[in-house]
Amino acid sequence: MSEKNITMPVNIDEQAEANQTRRSFLRKSVAVAGGAVIAATAAGRAAAEPLAIPPTNKILGRGVVSIPYGLPSKFEAHVVRRNVEWLTPDTIASISFTPLQDLEGIITPSGLHFERHHGGAVDIDPSTHRLVIHGLVEKPMIFTIEDLKRFPQKSGFWFLECPANGAMEWNGVQMDSVQFTHGMVSCTEWVGVSLLDLMKAVGVKKEATWFFGEGADGAALQRSVPLPGAKDQFGKPISDFDANTIYKDIIVAYAQNGEALRPENGYPIRLIVPGCEANMSVKWLRRIKFVDKPLVTYQETRHYTDGMKDGRFRQYTLVNETNSVVTFPCPDKKMSGKGSYEIRGLAWSGRGKVKAVDVSVDGGKTWKEAKLVDPVFSKCFTRFTMPWEWDGKEALVMSRAMDETGYVQPTLRQLIDERGTSGIYHKNSIQTWKVQANGEVHNVQLRSL
Amino acid sequence: MSNSEVSKSALVKSVLAAALFAVSSLSFAAGTDGIGKPISEKDIAPWNISVHFDGDGLPPGKGSVGDGEKIYQAKCAMCHGEFGEGAKGYPKMLGETVEHIRELAQKGEDTVGARGINSLWGHAPTLYDYIRRAMPFFAPQSLSNDEAYATTCYVLYIAEIVKDDKLVCDASVLKATKMPSQDNYYTDPRPDVKNVRCMNDCSKGAPEVTGMAVVGVSGDTSRNEAKPANH
């Protein structure tokens, strides 16, 4: 078998000019290369079989438009959204998870975007759907989808994350899969109309300090979003960042990754509130109302409030703070023998751009800065990579992201010390994967972290 | 050509130029003219069903604890329990008191399963809002305003927030009903933790694994896993 590997240098040798010194040098190299191959073989790495002609070389394939809307290869059938049956009593008010382990780059294909419905996904005819904007405005208006498309377009690459992402891990590890530990997040190019343009069109009055969106689904889900000057129901001001920056990015989206929104993601229109917990990006949007106080509704008291260790609850925890996870290796993608690999993962921050991601393979004793892969956008997935020579020994692999505000992704210990374990939401702590000598990868928690 | 004709012609030219300039500049300005239609608040009313925490938006109408019991037992009890204790994994109406939730939390115990309307719900008017817009789960927006008042009234009663089983709920009663957890909220103070970007010698000793996930806990049959032992 080693002859095959040696063939190429020998050929080069024959083509080289007849220089004795050079020949002798090359002969030595061949000997070294051959020795290396034999050593590798001895270590259990078999050489490739002789090539056979693939059967697809000997047939004609399908004609164009035999599949008018293209689908993934049948060999990719395992790349699907999944749910966890015991999490919710039904699949109507429930959640599914994006297979982060199978994603490349920073875009989540529309059909793999995680789903969170409060009353199930509905199919809405865009020709009858309307968006009403009213409340503290000069002229209440109603818009068709065609109307909305006449406004200047605004688009962006933004992640959406359910604040419950990671919620099953507060009291210890449970989910042996990155799809289930981190898959309540996806990233998309969203296209639509700027909220600022819609505000101009209806003439929002200066007394308006909040607005809320409302869906046309069975949950008629509504969430309050702060505007400059927003105060909570006790009269306390909402933080500067939340009140003065969140609203500027908001769009009413009608397109996702180059085509209309998918029904599960709010077709024909939805709000996109970049950087914030995804329930604020109301799907199947039918109404926006400008008001001078929050609703303090179901989704702002019973849900989406964070139980703290003193038994009180935080509300309007709107921004998803900096988070990251290694997507290779991970429990879903095991190692296949020692040697060269690239550790890969995703990082994101609701406050802006990811500035740096550090990777550790020794359980957090030492860290090395990873490469951020272009493009790096604000409030968007950022892909990071790190070359890794795996020695075949046990390793504890983790990533730690920092955003442009200087905020460093915390440890679970830091979060629990501050908040306790009943918060459900906003668990953005550093994730550890244990790589075993046999190549298996498992979800673990460490005492120090 | 007379002087007046010359000046007239100059005027025409300058007006034309001004008009052309005005047309071309206007035509590339981002505007909103002619997009959408005005609509009156009266015509929006069927959609304008949101009720604020202070009762703003509550409609006319009323309903009693007794009327609410009939609706609840027919349309709600199968999921929320005959006595509000929850069923089939759906939320309980009567949970632990706010005081007990605080005790549990301060002892480091999990409070997620202990929460009911009496433990975690800001205001009675938004309970009305939620029942009217989203309940019963299988038939949202099917209750009349009066039925929604009655159901709200009964839920407040079984959650032990109101004691009077003869109570009739309307806008003024809901506005006056203080929820036990009303003041148990505070607005987001994050960032609340500060990690340091340490690169070397960041932890003492060997890292200690305190927990490893059990293969199969997801319960996803397509992943060929076993079911979790319990949850």
Side-chain angles (χ1 to χ4, degrees), chain A residues 193-260:
Chain A
V193 187
S194 168
L195 178 74
L196 301 177
D197 283 336
L198 293 171
M199 288 172 73
K200 218 179 294 169
V202 297
V204 173
K205 295 178 180 171
K206 63 175 186 302
E207 307 94 272
T209 51
W210 293 83
F211 80 89
F212 62 84
E214 178 187 68
D217 58 325
L221 187 114
Q222 52 181 359
R223 275 301 309 260
S224 310
V225 181
L227 297 170
K231 291 177 177 169
D232 66 18
Q233 70 270 29
F234 306 109
K236 188 174 172 260
I238 299 295
S239 79
D240 262 7
F241 182 91
D242 290 6
N244 297 322
T245 68
I246 288 172
Y247 79 102
K248 289 180 183 167
D249 280 348
I250 294 174
I251 66 170
V252 172
Y254 44 76
Q256 163 181 21
N257 293 335
E259 60 182 355

Side-chain angles (χ1 to χ4, degrees), chain B residues 29-52:
Chain B
T32 59
D33 277 0
I35 307 179
K37 286 182 187 164
I39 184 170
S40 69
E41 287 288 352
K42 186 167 156 280
D43 289 336
I44 296 168
W47 287 13
N48 189 18
I49 59 171
S50 296
V51 179
H52 285 262

Side-chain angles (χ1 to χ4, degrees), chain A residues 76 78-80 82 99-104 179 327 333:
Chain A
E76 297 295 313
H78 58 287
V79 183
V80 289
R82 292 184 171 86
L100 297 178
Q101 68 276 12
D102 293 304
L103 298 191
E104 311 289 355
Q179 184 161 9
T327 58
K333 298 282 178 191

Side-chain angles (χ1 to χ4, degrees), chain A residues 82-86 89-90 92-93 118 130 132 134-135 140-143 147 150-152 171 173-177 180 197 201 212 214 218-220 222 232-234 238 286-287 289 291 293-298 301-302 305 307-319 321 332 351 356 358 362-369 396 400 402 407-411 414-415 418-419 421-422 424 426 430 434 436 442-447, chain B residues 30-41 44 46-54 56 87-92 98 101-103 105-112 115-117 119-123 126 129-130 133-135 137 140-141 182-223 225 227-228 230-231:
Chain A
R82 292 184 171 86
N83 68 330
V84 175
E85 275 178 32
W86 51 259
D90 58 65
I92 308 298
H118 295 77
R130 296 290 181 271
V132 164
H134 71 130
M141 298 283 289
I142 184 163
F143 299 100
D147 290 336
R150 281 174 58 182
F151 282 98
N171 287 298
V173 280
Q174 288 208 81
M175 316 307 293
D176 210 34
S177 157
F180 297 124
D197 283 336
F212 62 84
E214 178 187 68
Q222 52 181 359
D232 66 18
Q233 70 270 29
F234 306 109
I238 299 295
R286 74 168 191 178
R287 186 165 69 105
K289 188 175 185 182
V291 289
K293 57 195 167 194
L295 289 166
V296 203
T297 183
Y298 172 80
T301 59
R302 182 67 179 84
T305 54
M308 292 294 114
K309 65 178 181 183
D310 64 358
R312 293 191 301 155
F313 287 78
R314 283 183 186 170
Q315 60 180 176
Y316 312 118
T317 46
L318 309 180
V319 171
E321 296 187 298
D332 318 76
R351 289 206 181 88
D358 305 317
D362 61 6
K365 274 180 93 76
T366 57
W367 297 81
K368 191 167 175 249
E369 186 165 346
L396 294 165
R400 178 185 66 195
M402 181 176 82
Y407 174 92
V408 179
Q409 185 183 355
T411 66
Q414 288 172 320
L415 288 184
E418 178 66 25
R419 305 178 190 169
T421 59
S422 290
I424 302 179
H426 297 293
I430 293 167
K434 180 184 177 188
Q436 298 182 162
H442 293 290
N443 175 13
V444 296
Q445 286 180 2
L446 305 181
R447 185 172 304 285
Chain B
T32 59
D33 277 0
I35 307 179
K37 286 182 187 164
I39 184 170
S40 69
E41 287 288 352
I44 296 168
W47 287 13
N48 189 18
I49 59 171
S50 296
V51 179
H52 285 262
F53 66 95
D54 56 4
D56 217 354
K88 299 181 288 195
Y90 289 96
K92 56 183 75 169
V98 172
I101 293 273
R102 286 187 169 204
E103 279 171 33
Q106 285 163 19
K107 278 192 283 185
E109 288 178 31
D110 194 85
T111 68
V112 177
R115 300 168 188 174
I117 307 276
S119 349
L120 188 66
W121 196 300
H123 304 81
T126 60
D129 173 279
Y130 187 68
R133 80 173 47 242
M135 292 287 122
F137 186 51
Q141 293 196 37
Q182 193 161 313
D183 298 326
N184 204 32
Y185 298 95
Y186 67 105
T187 290
D188 189 12
R190 294 175 308 154
D192 54 351
V193 293
K194 194 170 164 46
N195 198 8
V196 178
R197 196 180 171 209
C198 172
M199 302 304 281
N200 290 300
D201 296 326
C202 303
S203 61
K204 288 174 199 144
E208 187 189 346
V209 174
T210 55
M212 186 158 99
V214 180
V215 176
V217 78
S218 72
D220 184 331
T221 48
S222 75
R223 288 165 51 83
E225 294 174 343
K227 292 261 179 188
N230 58 40
H231 179 77

Side-chain angles (χ1 to χ4, degrees), chain A residues 62 90 112 124 161 163 174 192 201 401:
Chain A
R62 284 185 297 274
D90 58 65
L112 297 176
I124 293 176
E161 182 181 28
Q174 288 208 81

